[in-house]
Amino acid sequence: MSGKESTMTASKRALSAVIGVLLMVAVVGVVGFTLHSASADPHKRLYATKSAETIVIDGKSYPKATITMGVYADTAQAKEMGYNTINKKDYVQYGPSSHIVLPAHTYVTMTIHGYDGGEKLNAPFFGKVVGTIGGTMNVDGVDVSEIPADQVQHTFTIHSLPSSNRDPLFINIPLQHVDQGDKGALPTLDKATNFKGHTMTFSFITGGAGEYVWNCEYPCGDGTYAKFGAAMSAYGYMSGKVSVA
Amino acid sequence: MTTLDHHTSVRPVPNPSKSLITKLNMGTGLVVGIFFAVATYYGLGGDSAGVFENYNRTLLATMFMWSIGFMVGIGAFIGPFRWLIGKDLTDEEQLYLAGDGQGIKRYFKYCTDHKVVGIQYMVGVMVLLGVGGTMAMMIRTNLIQPGSKFVGPSIYNSLVGLHGITMIIAMIIVVTGPFGNYIMPIMIGAADMAFPRLNALSWWVLFTAIPVLCSAWFLGGIPTGWTAYAPLSVQAGPGMNAFIATIIIFAVSTAVAGANITATVVAMRAKGMKWNRVPIFVVGATMSVALAIPAFPTFMVSMIMTGLDRSYATTFFDANLGGSGWLYAHLFWIMGHPEVYVILIPGVAVLMEIAPVFVRKPLFSYNAAIAGFAGITGLSVLVWAHHMYMSGWMPMLNGPFMVTTEMISVPTGLIFLVILGTLWRGRPWLKLPMLGVYAFLWNFLIGGITGLYLSDVPADNYLHGSMYVTAHFHYTLMGAALTGALAGLAYWFPKMTGRMLHERAGYISFWLVQIGFQFLFLGMFIAGAEGQPRRVADYSINFATSDLISSVGAYMIGVGMIVLLWAVIHSWRHGKIAPMNPWGSKTLEWTVPYPVPLVNFDTPPVVTSDPYGYGKASN
Amino acid sequence: MSDDHGLVEMQPTPGQKLAAIFKQREVRVATAWGVLVTFIFFIIGGWIYPSWMPIAMSTDMKSIERLIVIFTWISAPICGIVLGFSIYTFLHRHKGDTPPVDGPGIRTNGLVVGLWVIVSSALCLVAIVYGLIEMNSASAATAEHKKNALVVEVTGSQWAWSFNYPEQGVVSHELNLPINRPVEFRIISVDVNHSFWPVQLGVKVDANRLQTTVVDTTPNKLGTLDVKCAELCGLYHAYMETSGEVMSAADFNAWVTSHQGGHTA
């Protein structure tokens, strides 16, 4: 009255079980693959350019390398600066990539061009330059060791999980903001003189190979709590990875 | 598929052809729901140039209108509306609503038969467990080695938060949904629930919450855990609105279901079923939903306040403007702690129902069981701030909350006493349901003892916020409550589907899940004791071994649960036809045949004793 | 009756009752399993569990480790009872496809239930009292040391910690502390909830927005400190970790003066 007895043989049932289980495992696998792909870094990695020179610090000799990044108020500004960003959202972002690769045991000189305005840091500590050679950075030709908390546009802060299998690396670079009244620093339409904003240059020595992260410590997200929403909470705009290899 | 029709009486198949209710079903619900949602979204301006508060308002409104629209489209409001205008539903229409003569179609309609609602809940729970379980596999894959190479931090945090809330929702309804609806009314000798239309309402409202929850993935995910702490939840992106809306919708469903179950058990027991003859499963399920009724409104309130902070820039949780993050934590945990007992008690009650049947001895000290459940239920509303020991809100109140929390160990101990006493001097028949009892004894022992460390304030200084906590609550929620639910599934499968669950597949699944479970969470205890924080996408290399062991265990569970899913689907279609009472149980649901008649009993039963009259009576 | 010579029934003494119970094989076997389990948990609690925990660098952490050992020892007999009975009945199971015959119809045993409640309540009371005493002595120690304490203002921000030493005029991302000097951490967050967790020091408290929370301890062992965030705070919560060191007073002063603007007391 309520259904027929099954005519399935034991072997047919076992086959149905194996196929069924494999099928469902495959479904989970497809979900995993989709999430993995969605997590891939949007940009290709940005490699530091090695140079032939060396430098001696504290009696040890290090090869040199350089790398340049910029931070742009939105996609339009990034494109104007010649960086073809494939970030999906029109947020403030670092470019040309959020994943940089630095050589190990190297004296790295990094240049960051910053074109954005700013308000006030949440945590004043991040207005100080930390982790560079001499504890200073060069802003448009002048060496400074910190920037007042209300003159920062973004920070570039490298840190990592302390771990026994990699050397510690902590760098904090506050970027001098572009004052809207400072006509000399604003971007212009003339492509030749377009590199306005402020240029920050600093150097540090990398340790052994390891994976690190970087993020901005400045509230440049949207109007939410502490202004850390939107761009600040989405991976790849104001946060990324540093590979020392 | 077996015909799930239970039209066996001589009355004609109801077909009130002119009535609107015959034309409405899940399909019309989807159409109206989607229409309302789309109209709301674009009517409120869609993306609104991304302005934070406007977009949140738009999204929340869209999600609520989807839910309301679906309920309109499936005909949930027809009954009340007809009552309002004085033209109540006719008897034929009521019989139609009960699904009389509609075969499998009634599972896709607004059907008031509690047995249909029970099956709907069972399928819904399976979907939620599948989605939540898949997310768990993703989480553990990311943690299988340090370096977070599988998914990025944003997706990982979303996985953690959404896995948590999906599983919590699934666990809340896993026993009271399928078995509380299908089995419980038959077990008390009733013809249906006290409010059959509300029963259908509670299921379909829950159904509307499922796509809302899944939409979080398409809105950028959530950065918080399932606890959705403010202020991070206020800072979060659009996906947070899906979480907020899901909880508010779910709270409605649970409140309705809880009230229904309580009213049914209080008012509709069979003649002669005095309170001391009520099966322990019914007692446990009722206490659990009765506890949920005061607890869940605070969750709803905390979500409404979060939603307002996000959509109208209110400052409930903004310390900068007079609010407080601790306010959120209190509102949340005043729900959150009773809620874990809402999850635990029905699972335990199922196991207490199973043990006497498979040991052929009476339940040991029915009164101790009642005292255990009652003590847990009562104390559980007094312990919530033990989740906040380290929050800094008021250190001098940590002591009193530690006292109340540790006191819960006494009624919890009674639960062990009852089950052990039932086992002692018996010869357990180790069918799949009974295996669950043994798994529970081990899992809940570990869960309970690790809870003891966590309840102690000084020890919590170390253990709070570490993987130790995660392992502890998985041992209790999954090792005890889910184990109870799966035992219940194996136990009641013959009555709900007319077939026996494939035994060998069930055993394979049981051992894979339980052994994998030990690897997963014992490994996690070690990681926590070593100092790994929880909810982290990446970790230091010294936790690598424990995390690897955990991830391997997780895969075992995954395979085991997939085997169980196969067994359920296969047995439902091709399983051995079950006799009326395969386990020899003495509760009322085993006195009715399958398919269970529409009104369950041809003649209402009269009860003369409790269902534990095994063995030669002593005492 | 007094002139019924020799035919008065003697009630068994409690000792004889107990002996009679233990004469039953099932009781002896279950007890043996229980004792074995108790012993295993005793070993786990005393030696295996502590091996997982990090090096204790303060009395707070030391007493946490001691508490975990003692609570495990208190729980060991409970595990023994539960698992002893479980293992025995599992091994003594009914095999076959038909249900077993009915067992004895034992509905309850007042003595067992009563004893269970009393003993579990007593154990619960022991745990409560132990915990309250620990909490009390910790806060007494805090009150005593507050005057001499080194103040460290901890700021949690998404997603890095910074430490301000107001007395020394130093701000750093590393938590360095001099050994044997009481330290008072004043913790605050500038954005969402974080949780300050210097692992080896055995203290923890949330960092809340605009509300300072305070926790005290005294590092009493040299070595590396791990500072982690124990509350999910968004995207890079996993990476919100830093380290530091408990060092000698001289090394600490040297570290302080190596910072621009740093000055020792």
Side-chain angles (χ1 to χ4, degrees):
Chain A
M1 148 173 108
S2 59
K4 298 184 281 288
E5 190 70 61
S6 166
T7 50
M8 244 193 188
T9 61
S11 53
K12 212 169 158 213
R13 194 171 9 247
L15 188 65
S16 139
V18 167
I19 292 181
V21 169
L22 286 176
L23 211 70
M24 292 187 251
V25 169
V27 167
V28 174
V30 165
V31 172
F33 181 75
T34 312
L35 288 180
H36 180 63
S37 315
S39 311
D41 269 320
H43 310 115
K44 290 208 299 247
R45 296 172 191 202
L46 176 67
Y47 288 84
T49 317
K50 295 192 199 170
S51 100
E53 299 167 28
T54 59
I55 187 169
V56 176
I57 306 266
D58 284 340
K60 284 176 75 168
S61 171
Y62 298 98
K64 289 174 90 167
T66 57
I67 186 168
T68 304
M69 290 179 82
V71 57
Y72 314 101
D74 50 40
T75 315
Q77 199 179 65
K79 286 204 166 99
E80 246 184 69
M81 294 300 131
Y83 289 121
N84 199 9
T85 173
I86 59 171
N87 274 330
K88 291 201 205 79
K89 292 214 186 343
D90 193 18
Y91 289 154
V92 59
Q93 53 194 278
Y94 273 83
S97 171
S98 57
H99 189 165
I100 63 178
V101 183
L102 306 174
H105 300 298
T106 302
Y107 181 92
V108 175
T109 301
M110 190 161 176
T111 306
I112 302 184
H113 300 289
Y115 303 98
D116 209 357
E119 294 168 24
K120 193 164 178 200
L121 271 177
N122 285 335
F125 170 70
F126 297 102
K128 296 185 190 302
V129 177
V130 180
T132 59
I133 303 290
T136 59
M137 66 174 178
N138 187 295
V139 181
D140 297 333
V142 178
D143 280 339
V144 298
S145 63
E146 70 178 284
I147 292 183
D150 54 1
Q151 287 182 29
V152 175
Q153 56 166 294
H154 297 285
T155 76
F156 187 76
T157 310
I158 302 180
H159 57 110
S160 77
L161 271 176
S163 180
S164 53
N165 69 337
R166 66 178 149 249
D167 292 322
L169 185 65
F170 187 94
I171 312 280
N172 180 62
I173 302 295
L175 306 180
Q176 178 79 36
H177 79 161
V178 172
D179 192 332
Q180 294 304 311
D182 181 359
K183 298 245 184 326
L186 296 174
T188 66
L189 290 173
D190 179 352
K191 289 256 186 301
T193 58
N194 220 345
F195 254 51
K196 289 296 176 191
H198 296 291
T199 300
M200 269 73 44
T201 310
F202 53 96
S203 301
F204 56 94
I205 295 180
T206 54
E211 298 290 320
Y212 305 83
V213 298
W214 68 266
N215 62 270
C216 167
E217 281 291 342
Y218 175 82
C220 50
D222 57 13
T224 60
Y225 249 85
K227 303 206 168 144
F228 255 67
M232 287 299 293
S233 294
Y235 177 77
Y237 294 84
M238 303 307 287
S239 52
K241 295 197 231 230
V242 177
S243 300
V244 174
Chain B
M1 274 290 190
T2 59
T3 55
L4 300 164
D5 192 300
H6 51 209
H7 179 79
T8 53
S9 71
V10 293
R11 60 175 180 266
V13 176
N15 192 9
S17 51
K18 292 242 178 10
S19 179
L20 182 57
I21 59 173
T22 60
K23 303 185 181 40
L24 300 177
N25 53 37
M26 191 168 134
T28 56
L30 282 170
V31 166
V32 178
I34 293 176
F35 172 71
F36 272 41
V38 170
T40 309
Y41 187 77
Y42 289 106
L44 287 179
D47 199 347
S48 297
V51 175
F52 187 74
E53 273 123 25
N54 293 351
Y55 195 41
N56 289 333
R57 285 202 283 266
T58 305
L59 282 176
L60 284 171
T62 304
M63 292 169 187
F64 291 132
M65 289 310 284
W66 141 256
S67 186
I68 293 173
F70 182 92
M71 299 312 287
V72 167
I74 201 170
F77 299 119
I78 289 185
F81 185 72
R82 290 270 300 267
W83 168 83
L84 186 67
I85 60 175
K87 280 171 67 179
D88 214 340
L89 295 181
T90 64
D91 281 352
E92 203 189 358
E93 284 171 318
Q94 306 263 31
L95 265 177
Y96 183 86
L97 271 189
D100 202 20
Q102 287 156 45
I104 199 172
K105 285 204 252 177
R106 65 191 198 280
Y107 292 93
F108 299 95
K109 294 165 81 78
Y110 196 78
C111 182
T112 55
D113 181 5
H114 72 98
K115 298 183 282 299
V116 169
V117 174
I119 297 286
Q120 288 168 327
Y121 263 101
M122 186 146 99
V123 174
V125 161
M126 281 162 55
V127 167
L128 285 172
L129 284 175
V131 170
T134 304
M135 290 195 262
M137 296 301 117
M138 304 294 113
I139 293 171
R140 283 318 316 179
T141 305
N142 196 52
L143 293 181
I144 200 166
Q145 53 175 324
S148 187
K149 300 197 175 106
F150 182 57
V151 289
S154 174
I155 291 189
Y156 181 83
N157 289 349
S158 296
L159 280 169
V160 167
L162 292 172
H163 160 79
I165 192 64
T166 306
M167 288 311 211
I168 289 286
I169 291 177
M171 284 296 105
I172 289 171
I173 60 177
V174 73
V175 172
T176 46
F179 314 120
N181 278 307
Y182 195 116
I183 300 293
M184 188 271 289
I186 313 176
M187 214 184 212
I188 61 173
D192 204 316
M193 300 277 272
F195 302 107
R197 293 211 290 249
L198 282 186
N199 209 10
L201 182 79
S202 76
W203 158 249
W204 286 113
V205 168
L206 178 73
F207 174 82
T208 64
I210 297 178
V212 173
L213 184 59
C214 293
S215 74
W217 279 110
F218 300 98
L219 292 168
I222 61 175
T224 64
W226 81 279
T227 50
Y229 267 16
L232 183 59
S233 59
V234 180
Q235 186 191 78
M240 204 72 219
N241 297 303
F243 185 97
I244 292 170
T246 300
I247 296 306
I248 294 174
I249 296 171
F250 175 67
V252 171
S253 166
T254 312
V256 166
N260 207 0
I261 290 179
T262 311
T264 307
V265 171
V266 168
M268 294 179 65
R269 284 163 291 129
K271 189 162 174 220
M273 190 179 273
K274 301 194 286 216
W275 281 111
N276 64 352
R277 294 178 184 160
V278 175
I280 194 67
F281 169 64
V282 177
V283 173
T286 311
M287 282 203 199
S288 152
V289 300
L291 180 60
I293 290 176
F296 281 86
T298 57
F299 198 11
M300 193 187 198
V301 159
S302 70
M303 285 295 112
I304 291 176
M305 289 159 83
T306 307
L308 285 173
D309 267 15
R310 291 171 58 86
S311 313
Y312 286 96
T314 52
T315 57
F316 291 112
F317 306 129
D318 186 352
N320 212 11
L321 294 163
S324 170
W326 289 323
L327 174 63
Y328 177 85
H330 281 295
L331 286 173
F332 181 85
W333 286 117
I334 287 175
M335 175 282 304
H337 201 85
E339 180 251 337
V340 307
Y341 291 111
V342 167
I343 292 177
L344 178 77
I345 291 176
V348 172
V350 169
L351 294 167
M352 282 188 182
E353 197 61 56
I354 285 174
V357 176
F358 290 84
V359 186
R360 321 263 1 128
K361 280 178 70 242
L363 186 70
F364 183 81
S365 189
Y366 181 83
N367 292 354
I370 305 286
F373 285 152
I376 289 175
T377 306
L379 275 173
S380 70
V381 298
L382 295 175
V383 302
W384 78 90
H386 68 229
H387 300 272
M388 297 167 62
Y389 282 157
M390 299 300 125
S391 69
W393 76 283
M394 185 146 304
M396 70 171 146
L397 280 181
N398 282 347
F401 277 104
M402 180 174 86
V403 172
T404 52
T405 306
E406 295 195 350
M407 277 167 65
I408 282 203
S409 63
V410 177
T412 309
L414 285 177
I415 297 203
F416 281 101
L417 173 66
V418 168
I419 293 185
L420 290 174
T422 309
L423 293 176
W424 179 244
R425 296 197 198 279
R427 305 211 60 187
W429 187 31
L430 284 182
K431 289 292 177 182
L432 194 56
M434 191 61 199
L435 281 179
V437 174
Y438 280 96
F440 164 82
L441 284 171
W442 167 260
N443 288 334
F444 198 55
L445 179 70
I446 301 295
I449 287 174
T450 52
L452 187 66
Y453 304 122
L454 290 165
S455 70
D456 179 83
V457 177
D460 203 40
N461 268 304
Y462 183 73
L463 299 171
H464 172 80
S466 73
M467 293 304 276
Y468 201 89
V469 178
T470 312
H472 158 75
F473 68 69
H474 277 92
Y475 256 95
T476 48
L477 292 180
M478 194 174 158
L482 181 66
T483 300
L486 294 179
L489 175 67
Y491 180 58
W492 278 309
F493 196 81
K495 194 48 65 186
M496 291 171 77
T497 64
R499 296 179 183 266
M500 301 300 286
L501 186 65
H502 191 278
E503 259 210 322
R504 173 167 291 173
Y507 289 137
I508 293 175
S509 161
F510 173 82
W511 287 110
L512 273 174
V513 168
Q514 292 297 334
I515 305 265
F517 183 85
Q518 307 310 318
F519 279 121
L520 171 49
F521 294 110
L522 286 176
M524 202 178 279
F525 274 128
I526 298 176
E530 288 173 337
Q532 182 178 346
R534 62 184 288 205
R535 298 177 170 147
V536 289
D538 196 358
Y539 52 85
S540 186
I541 199 170
N542 42 309
F543 307 122
T545 314
S546 351
D547 277 83
L548 177 63
I549 295 174
S550 291
S551 292
V552 169
Y555 294 142
M556 282 177 74
I557 295 181
V559 175
M561 291 301 281
I562 285 178
V563 169
L564 181 65
L565 179 63
W566 174 86
V568 167
I569 295 176
H570 172 86
S571 306
W572 210 325
R573 303 176 63 200
H574 302 293
K576 223 163 45 171
I577 302 288
M580 193 159 87
N581 190 355
W583 315 120
S585 169
K586 293 184 193 293
T587 42
L588 282 175
E589 75 273 20
W590 302 102
T591 63
V592 297
Y594 182 88
V596 183
L598 182 61
V599 294
N600 300 336
F601 299 93
D602 291 321
T603 44
V606 176
V607 169
T608 53
S609 69
D610 71 11
Y612 306 119
Y614 300 97
K616 306 166 286 295
S618 64
N619 300 41
Chain C
M1 299 264 227
S2 56
D3 48 341
D4 245 27
H5 307 286
L7 289 175
V8 174
E9 241 181 64
M10 299 279 289
Q11 287 287 7
T13 66
Q16 287 174 323
K17 273 191 195 161
L18 207 61
I21 290 174
F22 268 90
K23 274 210 175 61
Q24 299 162 45
R25 187 179 168 276
E26 53 201 354
V27 173
R28 288 204 310 274
V29 175
T31 308
W33 280 114
V35 167
L36 177 64
V37 168
T38 306
F39 179 70
I40 292 174
F41 274 89
F42 191 81
I43 301 290
I44 291 176
W47 287 271
I48 299 183
Y49 209 146
S51 72
W52 298 328
M53 298 191 69
I55 299 170
M57 286 166 65
S58 72
T59 48
D60 293 300
M61 188 63 192
K62 199 94 198 116
S63 50
I64 289 174
E65 298 189 353
R66 187 175 54 230
L67 184 146
I68 287 183
V69 170
I70 291 181
F71 274 30
T72 313
W73 284 348
I74 292 177
S75 314
I78 300 174
C79 298
I81 293 175
V82 173
L83 293 176
F85 281 105
S86 308
I87 295 173
Y88 176 77
T89 57
F90 186 89
L91 294 174
H92 202 57
R93 62 191 177 279
H94 166 79
K95 298 185 173 92
D97 261 332
T98 51
V101 295
D102 281 13
I106 302 171
R107 287 277 180 173
T108 187
N109 183 325
L111 182 66
V112 167
V113 176
L115 216 62
W116 184 285
V117 172
I118 291 171
V119 171
S120 60
S121 304
L123 288 173
C124 177
L125 196 63
V126 166
I128 290 176
V129 168
Y130 190 107
L132 288 173
I133 291 177
E134 287 282 341
M135 287 174 70
N136 216 29
S137 64
S139 50
T142 300
E144 195 189 306
H145 291 137
K146 253 184 157 43
K147 284 166 271 160
N148 186 27
L150 167 70
V151 172
V152 179
E153 290 169 358
V154 179
T155 303
S157 57
Q158 285 170 303
W159 292 285
W161 294 104
S162 52
F163 307 103
N164 179 36
Y165 299 74
E167 190 189 314
Q168 284 79 9
V170 170
V171 189
S172 168
H173 65 281
E174 291 168 322
L175 181 63
N176 290 331
L177 300 169
I179 190 172
N180 289 327
R181 182 171 171 195
V183 101
E184 177 170 297
F185 295 109
R186 298 189 187 152
I187 296 107
I188 198 169
S189 162
V190 296
D191 36 50
V192 300
N193 290 332
H194 302 275
S195 193
F196 173 63
W197 186 20
V199 176
Q200 287 83 357
L201 296 182
V203 290
K204 178 183 291 154
V205 77
D206 280 5
N208 300 282
R209 187 158 153 92
L210 299 180
Q211 311 263 19
T212 305
T213 45
V214 178
V215 84
D216 299 72
T217 186
T218 306
N220 62 7
K221 204 166 162 148
L222 300 170
T224 313
L225 272 181
D226 296 310
V227 178
K228 306 188 180 187
C229 175
E231 184 61 58
L232 177 60
C233 49
L235 187 73
Y236 268 175
H237 162 68
Y239 299 105
M240 190 166 163
E241 278 190 30
T242 183
S243 58
E245 212 184 310
V246 174
M247 45 179 69
S248 66
D251 286 340
F252 180 71
N253 288 338
W255 175 75
V256 164
T257 45
S258 72
H259 278 76
Q260 185 187 39
H263 51 86
T264 55

